[in-house]
Amino acid sequence: MLDRNHCLALDAADPLRAFREEFVLPEGVVYLVGNSLGALPRGTSERVRRTVEDEWGGRLVGGWNQAGWYEMPLRLGDRLAPLIGAGPGQVVVGNTTSIAIFQALAAALRLRQDRRVIVSDASNFPTDHYVAQGLARLLGGYEVRDVSEGRFDDAAVVLLSEVDYRTGARRDVPAVTAAVQAAGALMIWDLCHSVGALQVDVSQADLAVGCTYKYLNAGPGAPAFLYVNPRHHDTAENVLSGWHGHAEPFAFEAGYRPAEGIRRFAVSTPHIVSFAALDAALDVWERVPMDQVRAKSKALTSLFVDLVGDALELVSPADAEERGSQVSFRHPDGYPVMRALIDRGVHGDFRAPDVLRFGFAPLYIRYADVYDAAATLREVLDKELWRDERYAQRLAVT
Ligand SMILES: *Cc1c(COP(=O)(O)O)cnc(C)c1O
């Protein structure tokens, strides 16, 4: 059953197949790193050109009013909201994920001042944990506890990723959120590896953060987003109280007065060129049925797991329902194996100490790509092509 022709037939019947044409993908490359940096949507270059040449070049500082730059953090937040199960006026775009994590954690701690424990996940993408540690040091008297201890009863806040960056394991957002809140803590979800890969629903969470350069395809260094549940809009504080979160930024008052609603979580002058690229990426997402994305994602990852078979040790959950849109394997020489694979046109990435990571972006990855990637991987392993000494030297970004 699992031959290449079967995969071509699956591609022909794929309801999402037309979306691949909307991305720039180099010939001969199977790009399985869309979970790290999504591919370039075809509409982005023109959208960015327009922002740079027509808006900036043509209108100069008038762009803030005439080209709608000033409203972009909230306008793009509203455009992104349906992808995470949020409504209008609940999401602000800007800064980076690490900064949004700082804002969200600090806001949660201010809302639960009777408690002194931050629960975080030591195996999460390290920046989340690092920011929690930095905030605890800054405040003094706070403990950062690992989620594996399973104790929330004295926690102020719990910060977790929906999908684990290394293993691809998916957490049950409604169940975890309910348990955390029942223990009296606030729940912050990091959606970096789930937004654009599956239908997220943060509507019960207290706060959520995520980046837009992974599955959302907004480009390198694209802005992050921050969701705040409306029940906290009047009471949550933005400790990064920059002027864009002020009630009247252009009153230039000496004292900080927070804006109403989600706007108070804006910090500073938005990165308009990057926002333009996100706007173009969202033009694509507006037309994407997320149930089909999830169905294809599960089919692609399952196909890859089946085709690789026992050639490598599977790190990700075996059940597609329990994964995000990535598959990870373990190999003691994972780094040179990945380099050998990339040399043959199959792009995954490597996460220390020994994990080979493959992301499957359902908008532009075909079933035949999965077949080719698995065949190349098996060849690299069977013939030990990774032993070539060229592949041993580590590059700066793995
Ligand atoms: C990718 C990722 C980040 C990225 O943080 P930046 O501040 O944008 O560099 C943060 N957290 C998680 C869980 C991620 O996967």
Side-chain angles (χ1 to χ4, degrees), residues 83-106:
L83 295 170
I84 62 168
Q90 299 174 7
V91 180
V92 62
V93 171
N95 311 303
T96 66
T97 312
S98 302
I99 291 171
I101 290 167
F102 185 90
Q103 291 178 278
L105 279 174

Side-chain angles (χ1 to χ4, degrees), residues 39 93 107 124 207 222 239 247 269-270 301 312 330 339 349 355 386:
V93 171
N124 197 353
L207 301 107
V239 300
T269 310
T301 56
L312 281 174
R330 187 171 283 126
R339 290 286 304 280
D349 65 10
V355 171
W386 54 270

